Amino acid sequence: MGSVRPAAWRRGAVVAALMLAAFTFNTAENLPVGLLSLMAADLRVSLGAVGILVTGYGLTVAVVSLPFARVTRSVPRRYLLAGLLGLLAVASWVSAAHAVSYGLLMAARVVTALAQAAFWVVMGPVAVGLFPPERRGRVMGLLSIGGSLATVLGVPAGTWLGGHSGWRAPFAVLGALALVCLLVVGALLPTSRPQESHAAYGAAPDRRRFLVVVSTTALSVTGVFAAFTYVAAFLDEVGGFGEDAVSGVLFAFGAAALAGVTLAGPLLDRFPRGTLTVPVVTQAVALLGLYAGGGSQVAAVALLMLLGASVAPVFMATQSQVLRVAPGRTETALAANSMAFNAGVAAGALLGGGLLPLVGVRGTFLVGGLLTLGALAVLTWPESRVPAAVTER
């Protein structure tokens, strides 16, 4: 980061550690979903109370991302990342403690969410700053693969381990993974001021484009989660899938998401706009297709895989675009995009839940598709051009 870049093996090790950290944070965020019944029974609380551990996590990230970006903008990234990964490790081990109560577990989740909010803000600029500017998109693609693996591997593996060794065991493993990341980052990431990196500022600052990208994030994510929050009920009521088949379909969704970011990542630098527009289009097609043809099991599986292959690349592409067009410091711009994403998750779930009695579970996919079309309209709206005669006055 600075004028002299570290050796290639050091840069590769740091990026690998950041990928693992993204995997660990994303797994920690969503792990209670797979352990819902086990945690509720052991802690003697309702399923809804355990669900709040996930909802509250996302809302915390949404609320604090932007303030954290401003507060920590001058802190050397080596020290900041080491501290955040230390918080993740400690909070995970507290969650794994046998004497942990629901209140203490909630506090540990809040600490983890605070750490994740700051981590997502600085992770991209740190990794991108280790490489030449023309490789920004490729590096962001690698980081997205780490985060996407949480859905395909992290949560299913944590659910399996929790079922065999108790729900606390996966949290203990996450703490150990966070410690590994901390050691690598602490040992190999150079110490420098954030503003010394080329990734501290947008490569082609454009305030209008930045607002378009953040609006696209908010609308597309709201659309997805208005429908996908209730996908299990959709597969049961509309698709006629049995309970055992639902997990297999969701695994296919996660695998498609991983394939989507893996294929799109290398294209981000060459086709920055296309790699955002195309997945927004296919997301709309998938959601509207599920509304129209979700009664066919073959179509439902194919369209859900198309949805998975679209959702993850959309966020990856918006993050890459924000790094390119940020009108000021990239940390602040990425924080705004992260806030839009997490607010969209919460708003989508609330919107879908509110409309469920009115339109049914199938109708939520129509709503999600229409919101995604709104995102596409914002994304492709032509720029207004001032006539030359007016400019000269």
Side-chain angles (χ1 to χ4, degrees), residues 202-225:
D206 185 335
R207 184 175 297 276
R208 178 195 175 277
R209 184 65 183 174
F210 168 71
L211 293 175
V212 165
V213 172
V214 172
S215 299
T216 299
T217 298
L219 283 169
S220 65
V221 173
T222 301
V224 167
F225 281 89

Side-chain angles (χ1 to χ4, degrees), residues 1-6 11 14 75-78 81 122 125-131 189-200 331:
M1 294 171 59
S3 58
V4 179
R5 293 192 181 93
R11 287 182 279 153
V14 169
V75 180
R77 282 359 192 179
R78 179 185 179 188
L81 282 170
V122 302
V126 165
V128 165
L130 294 169
F131 296 87
L189 182 66
T191 303
S192 60
R193 296 184 180 278
Q195 59 269 31
E196 294 176 0
S197 168
H198 68 79
E331 293 95 336

Side-chain angles (χ1 to χ4, degrees), residues 164-255:
H164 287 78
S165 303
W167 66 265
R168 292 173 174 82
F171 286 99
V173 173
L174 292 178
L177 293 178
L179 180 60
V180 171
C181 299
L182 187 160
L183 293 174
V184 174
V185 169
L188 300 180
L189 182 66
T191 303
S192 60
R193 296 184 180 278
Q195 59 269 31
E196 294 176 0
S197 168
H198 68 79
Y201 301 95
D206 185 335
R207 184 175 297 276
R208 178 195 175 277
R209 184 65 183 174
F210 168 71
L211 293 175
V212 165
V213 172
V214 172
S215 299
T216 299
T217 298
L219 283 169
S220 65
V221 173
T222 301
V224 167
F225 281 89
F228 191 72
T229 303
Y230 309 97
V231 67
F234 177 88
L235 291 172
D236 177 31
E237 296 177 19
V238 179
F241 289 88
E243 186 175 340
D244 293 337
V246 170
S247 59
V249 175
L250 293 181
F251 177 81
F253 172 90

Side-chain angles (χ1 to χ4, degrees), residues 62-111:
V63 170
V64 305
S65 291
L66 200 52
F68 265 36
R70 296 185 181 279
V71 169
T72 62
R73 61 185 301 168
S74 298
V75 180
R77 282 359 192 179
R78 179 185 179 188
Y79 302 141
L80 179 59
L81 282 170
L84 297 175
L85 292 168
L87 287 176
L88 173 60
V90 171
S92 297
W93 287 328
V94 168
S95 301
H98 285 285
V100 69
S101 63
Y102 178 80
L104 185 57
L105 181 60
M106 174 64 81
R109 295 282 295 172
V110 169
V111 169

Side-chain angles (χ1 to χ4, degrees), residues 31-44:
L31 187 57
V33 173
L35 303 173
L36 208 66
S37 300
L38 292 174
M39 295 177 72
D42 186 63
L43 295 169
R44 298 180 182 178

Side-chain angles (χ1 to χ4, degrees), residues 128-377:
V128 165
L130 294 169
F131 296 87
E134 61 271 16
R135 297 182 64 182
R136 286 187 173 199
R138 229 171 309 175
V139 175
M140 290 300 294
L142 288 173
L143 297 178
S144 295
I145 290 173
S148 298
L149 277 171
T151 304
V152 182
L153 178 62
V155 174
T159 302
W160 178 87
L161 180 60
H164 287 78
S165 303
W167 66 265
R168 292 173 174 82
F171 286 99
V173 173
L174 292 178
L177 293 178
L179 180 60
V180 171
C181 299
L182 187 160
L183 293 174
V184 174
V185 169
L188 300 180
L189 182 66
T191 303
S192 60
R193 296 184 180 278
Q195 59 269 31
E196 294 176 0
S197 168
H198 68 79
Y201 301 95
D206 185 335
R207 184 175 297 276
R208 178 195 175 277
R209 184 65 183 174
F210 168 71
L211 293 175
V212 165
V213 172
V214 172
S215 299
T216 299
T217 298
L219 283 169
S220 65
V221 173
T222 301
V224 167
F225 281 89
F228 191 72
T229 303
Y230 309 97
V231 67
F234 177 88
L235 291 172
D236 177 31
E237 296 177 19
V238 179
F241 289 88
E243 186 175 340
D244 293 337
V246 170
S247 59
V249 175
L250 293 181
F251 177 81
F253 172 90
L258 178 61
V261 295
T262 302
L263 293 173
L267 302 176
L268 289 171
D269 293 310
R270 294 176 58 195
F271 309 105
R273 298 208 177 195
T275 46
L276 177 54
T277 304
V278 170
V280 172
V281 170
T282 54
Q283 176 179 305
V285 170
L287 288 168
L288 295 173
L290 283 163
Y291 166 73
S296 164
Q297 292 189 345
V298 173
V301 172
L303 288 167
L304 274 172
M305 291 182 70
L306 179 63
L307 184 63
S310 306
V311 172
V314 167
F315 185 60
M316 176 183 67
T318 60
Q319 291 286 83
S320 180
Q321 281 265 311
V322 165
L323 273 176
R324 179 184 296 270
V325 302
R329 286 284 292 270
T330 52
E331 293 95 336
T332 304
L334 288 169
N337 199 48
S338 178
M339 184 171 67
F341 178 89
N342 286 281
V345 172
L350 289 173
L351 177 63
L355 292 174
L356 206 55
L358 301 175
V359 300
V361 68
R362 185 172 184 171
T364 61
F365 282 79
L366 173 61
V367 172
L370 294 175
L371 282 169
T372 305
L373 288 178
L376 181 63

Side-chain angles (χ1 to χ4, degrees), residues 24-32 53-54 57-58 61 109 116 342:
T24 306
F25 269 116
N26 276 12
T27 302
E29 179 176 6
N30 296 296
L31 187 57
L53 296 175
V54 178
Y57 191 111
V61 174
R109 295 282 295 172
Q116 179 166 328
N342 286 281

